[in-house]
Amino acid sequence: MASLKVATASPEETFAVARALGQRHPEGGIFYLEGDLGAGKTIFAKGLAAAYGVDPEDVVSPTFALVNRYSSGKRTVYHVDLYRIENDRELAELGLEEIEGEPGLVILVEWAEKLGRFRRPEAIVIRLETAGESTRAIEIIQLQPEERH
Ligand code: ADP
Ligand code: MG
């Protein structure tokens, strides 16, 4: 397991950390964003999306839609928000398992704590914690060793 801890002092810094993480994974991947309301999950999602060519202005919390889909020229990015999900049946209805099979895909999941048995071991987990008004403690955890390309 690899884990990295960083602290950021502004939303812009969090965005930059996220974009750098995405750029380190040109093959795409599944990213789980965990942390309380206002911790910076959506800002982190914007930075990741930007790394894959999506305009971060288009990235808004899909709290009502549950799943947003963005396409940049080369990529499809799914942005999922589980805030309103209450049980396994609702999770199953999202169809995450179908999406996850596609190669080269980027999947961003806010409130990934709620995934339960739907968690994927290959996902990169990002835990965000509010440490002060404009300070966030961010931990990036990769359970499985990186594949060599
Ligand atoms: P979440 O999706 O976790 O609910 P958002 O990304 O929507 O959180 O919002 C994070 C809020 O915290 C924004 O209003 C942002 O301006 C503020 N903020 C302050 N400092 C930071 C920081 N260092 N990193 C990220 N967001 C920050
Ligand atoms: Mg959000």
Side-chain angles (χ1 to χ4, degrees), residues 103-121:
L105 207 73
V106 179
I107 303 180
L108 317 175
V109 184
E110 296 194 38
W111 295 99
E113 295 95 325
K114 294 192 175 193
L115 277 171
R117 67 182 172 91
F118 291 91
R119 275 182 101 80
R120 300 275 297 231

Side-chain angles (χ1 to χ4, degrees), residues 37-38 40-43 61-63 79 81 110-111:
L37 206 66
K41 298 180 294 299
T42 299
I43 293 193
S61 225
T63 301
H79 182 195
D81 191 323
E110 296 194 38
W111 295 99

Side-chain angles (χ1 to χ4, degrees), residues 8-11 14 36-43 110 133-134 136:
T8 64
S10 67
T14 297
D36 291 340
L37 206 66
K41 298 180 294 299
T42 299
I43 293 193
E110 296 194 38
E133 199 180 322
S134 53
R136 300 292 183 271

Side-chain angles (χ1 to χ4, degrees), residues 51-125:
Y52 297 105
V54 173
D55 183 347
E57 298 236 338
D58 293 341
V59 177
V60 290
S61 225
T63 301
F64 295 98
L66 300 177
V67 184
N68 285 346
R69 185 176 179 274
Y70 319 107
S71 304
S72 69
K74 40 183 179 173
R75 291 265 176 204
T76 300
V77 176
Y78 286 94
H79 182 195
V80 184
D81 191 323
L82 302 179
Y83 184 60
R84 280 164 200 280
I85 291 288
E86 286 177 356
N87 54 51
D88 266 15
R89 185 182 54 76
E90 289 179 8
L91 269 176
E93 279 169 4
L94 285 177
L96 286 176
E97 283 166 320
E98 287 102 84
I99 302 173
E100 282 163 350
E102 298 177 30
L105 207 73
V106 179
I107 303 180
L108 317 175
V109 184
E110 296 194 38
W111 295 99
E113 295 95 325
K114 294 192 175 193
L115 277 171
R117 67 182 172 91
F118 291 91
R119 275 182 101 80
R120 300 275 297 231
E122 72 273 31
I124 295 171
V125 182

